[in-house]
Amino acid sequence: GQNIDQPTEMTATEGAIVQINCTYQTSGFNGLFWYQQHAGEAPTFLSYNVLDGLEEKGRFSSFLSRSKGYSYLLLKELQMKDSASYLCAVAGSWGKFQFGAGTQVVVTP
Amino acid sequence: EAQVTQNPRYLITVTGKKLTVTCSQNMNHEYMSWYRQDPGLGLRQIYYSMNVEVTDKGDVPEGYKVSRKEKRNFPLILESPSPNQTSLYFCASSLVSEETQYFGPGTRLLVL
């Protein structure tokens, strides 16, 4: 079957680093996306990986290992505004998209 | 301003009363998709469209219809809504299917 797993919730303090893991099993693979979603709002794009390795964008980095079906999103120098849900999504074959249930990150002072 | 718009943003209706949620994008994107979001389940794809007149089922298509007669519009139709379709609905678009999707603001639907 097709499955995307990520932790339900993570808590970290302001200024710290948090790593959100995502494992996937899908019938096709055309890239892995990370989105951020604040409560009551639409998801917004954070990062994209299609080849193995690390992609860095400011305080956010994302890693992909296609052979292991594994990705992580790294959030550095956490700020209060980073409190949100982080969604892992896989672009499958022929336009299909699958999302994980999301990881709620709580940043404490 | 590049955007995806959805209407209505909020809707309360009764079982069996047909409704349409509109979605429009002004970015000349080929790919459009509808999702529903429910607590603990994340975003689930309902239908998607790779281009005009090309639509396909996602993971949860039952009870929904779509059409793509023009590139910019991708309406979601609930012919006979039921309470289990109460949810938060998002429309999204991207240049092509493998690219970043841009989401509309969401439509919160309550079916009584």
Side-chain angles (χ1 to χ4, degrees):
Chain A
Q2 305 193 81
N3 207 26
I4 298 180
D5 288 318
Q6 50 181 128
T8 304
E9 185 170 313
M10 303 182 75
T11 301
T13 53
E14 211 172 357
I17 298 173
V18 70
Q19 177 175 315
I20 306 169
N21 296 325
C22 172
T23 57
Y24 64 89
Q25 285 181 301
T26 56
S27 57
F29 183 84
N30 283 305
L32 189 141
F33 296 81
W34 285 95
Y35 287 86
Q36 181 190 60
Q37 186 178 26
H38 284 100
E41 298 183 9
T44 54
F45 170 75
L46 283 180
S47 72
Y48 169 65
N49 296 72
V50 66
L51 300 176
D52 290 354
L54 189 67
E55 292 284 339
E56 297 188 83
K57 283 177 77 173
R59 294 188 298 114
F60 296 162
S61 305
S62 58
F63 171 83
L64 175 67
S65 168
R66 288 171 297 170
S67 62
K68 293 180 178 167
Y70 168 71
S71 173
Y72 68 72
L73 179 70
L74 199 67
L75 285 63
K76 293 177 264 191
E77 300 167 22
L78 276 174
Q79 302 175 9
M80 297 300 292
K81 67 178 181 180
D82 297 330
S83 289
S85 183
Y86 292 84
L87 314 177
C88 173
V90 172
S93 303
W94 300 108
K96 287 214 169 192
F97 261 86
Q98 283 207 296
F99 280 79
T103 298
Q104 186 66 42
V105 170
V106 177
V107 182
T108 59
Chain B
E1 182 192 350
Q3 61 183 351
V4 179
T5 56
Q6 293 178 230
N7 282 291
R9 294 288 313 279
Y10 304 92
L11 180 60
I12 301 174
T13 189
V14 295
T15 299
K17 188 176 179 184
K18 180 179 178 180
L19 67 93
T20 299
V21 185
T22 64
C23 173
S24 184
Q25 50 92 5
N26 62 0
M27 296 170 278
N28 202 35
H29 285 170
E30 290 188 353
Y31 181 86
M32 297 185 76
S33 184
W34 275 104
Y35 300 91
R36 61 178 289 174
Q37 187 171 36
D38 303 290
L41 296 177
L43 284 158
R44 292 180 291 167
Q45 193 175 39
I46 303 170
Y47 269 95
Y48 59 95
S49 170
M50 302 280 268
N51 214 325
V52 176
E53 300 292 0
V54 180
T55 63
D56 220 331
K57 296 177 181 178
D59 288 332
V60 288
E62 295 79 19
Y64 304 96
K65 284 175 58 175
V66 292
S67 67
R68 188 94 181 271
K69 293 185 171 58
E70 348 161 61
K71 204 171 193 179
R72 63 184 295 129
N73 296 323
F74 190 44
L76 180 70
I77 303 152
L78 284 72
E79 295 266 0
S80 182
S82 62
N84 65 12
Q85 292 178 298
T86 291
S87 188
L88 177 58
Y89 291 87
F90 286 103
C91 178
S93 74
S94 59
L95 196 58
V96 292
S97 62
E98 299 85 12
E99 302 245 341
T100 302
Q101 289 183 62
Y102 296 88
F103 284 81
T107 295
R108 198 167 287 278
L109 173 66
L110 172 61
V111 183
L112 300 172

